[in-house]
């Protein structure tokens, strides 16, 4: 009976240890503020420069940064810090004002007028090919 209890205890410990291993292909999403394709390029580049980030794509409309990361090498917080360092806010970390102020005027996502301008439908091209 004593041996059976020891074996069961060892099994439980091995299963809990296995469950806590960091995932080398973890998927996660982070909400990142931005308004345009210049923002997209900057956000994705900052994410991909983070050691352990394997895939990063930011959606201009939803503001979601979709990632595949190696949890053994990086964390969500580290990625958010790197994104804030290039001037973009996340839910948990806000970019410093001096960094935000240095980004292109078209990328000023904190400015309501800039956001409205990016939401306006583009006018049709007046050039016609005949």
């Amino acid at each position: 009976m004593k041996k059976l209890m020891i074996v069961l205890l060892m099994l439980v410990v091995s299963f809990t240890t296995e469950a806590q291993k960091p995932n080398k292909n973890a998927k996660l999403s982070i909400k990142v503020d931005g308004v345009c394709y210049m923002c997209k390029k900057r956000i994705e580049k900052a994410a991909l420069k983070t050691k352990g980030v394997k895939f990063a794509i930011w959606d201009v409309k939803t503001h979601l940064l979709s990632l595949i990361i190696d949890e053994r090498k990086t964390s969500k917080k580290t990625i958010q810090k790197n994104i804030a360092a290039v001037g973009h806010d996340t839910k948990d970390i806000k970019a410093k004002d001096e960094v935000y102020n240095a980004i292109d005027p078209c990328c000023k996502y904190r400015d309501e007028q800039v956001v409205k301008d990016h939401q306006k439908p583009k006018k049709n091209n007046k050039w016609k090919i005949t």
Side-chain angles (χ1 to χ4, degrees):
M1 183 71 173
K2 199 173 196 181
K3 287 182 183 181
L4 180 64
M5 292 299 278
I6 291 172
V7 170
L8 287 174
L9 182 62
M10 290 176 66
L11 280 172
V12 169
V13 170
S14 69
F15 282 124
T16 56
T17 304
E18 184 69 29
Q20 295 174 358
K21 282 187 179 180
N23 187 348
K24 64 180 181 177
N25 288 312
K27 295 178 183 178
L28 67 116
S29 295
I30 301 172
K31 189 90 166 175
V32 182
D33 290 332
V35 290
C36 66
Y37 286 94
M38 288 173 55
C39 296
K40 175 181 174 64
K41 184 177 179 181
R42 189 179 310 107
I43 291 164
E44 290 173 357
K45 186 176 179 179
L48 287 167
K49 281 189 171 184
T50 307
K51 184 178 179 178
V53 174
K54 298 178 178 184
F55 173 85
I57 190 157
W58 184 73
D59 188 291
V60 176
K61 291 180 182 176
T62 64
H63 298 182
L64 278 180
L65 176 64
S66 299
L67 301 158
I68 296 176
I69 66 167
D70 184 339
E71 291 178 324
R72 301 171 301 175
K73 296 179 181 179
T74 194
S75 67
K76 184 176 180 179
K77 189 170 185 173
T78 300
I79 298 164
Q80 288 177 319
K81 284 180 183 179
N82 290 344
I83 291 168
V86 297
H88 291 274
D89 297 344
T90 65
K91 182 181 174 188
D92 300 324
I93 300 175
K94 184 179 176 185
K96 292 181 181 177
D97 289 337
E98 55 270 12
V99 177
Y100 170 78
N101 292 333
I103 63 175
D104 194 270
C106 128
C107 298
K108 303 288 187 183
Y109 55 87
R110 294 179 190 165
D111 183 336
E112 288 181 31
Q113 188 58 47
V114 171
V115 173
K116 286 179 186 175
D117 289 344
H118 281 286
Q119 292 173 345
K120 290 180 183 175
K122 303 292 181 201
K123 293 181 180 177
N124 289 339
N125 191 349
K126 295 180 181 177
W127 295 90
K128 292 185 179 179
I129 300 174
T130 55

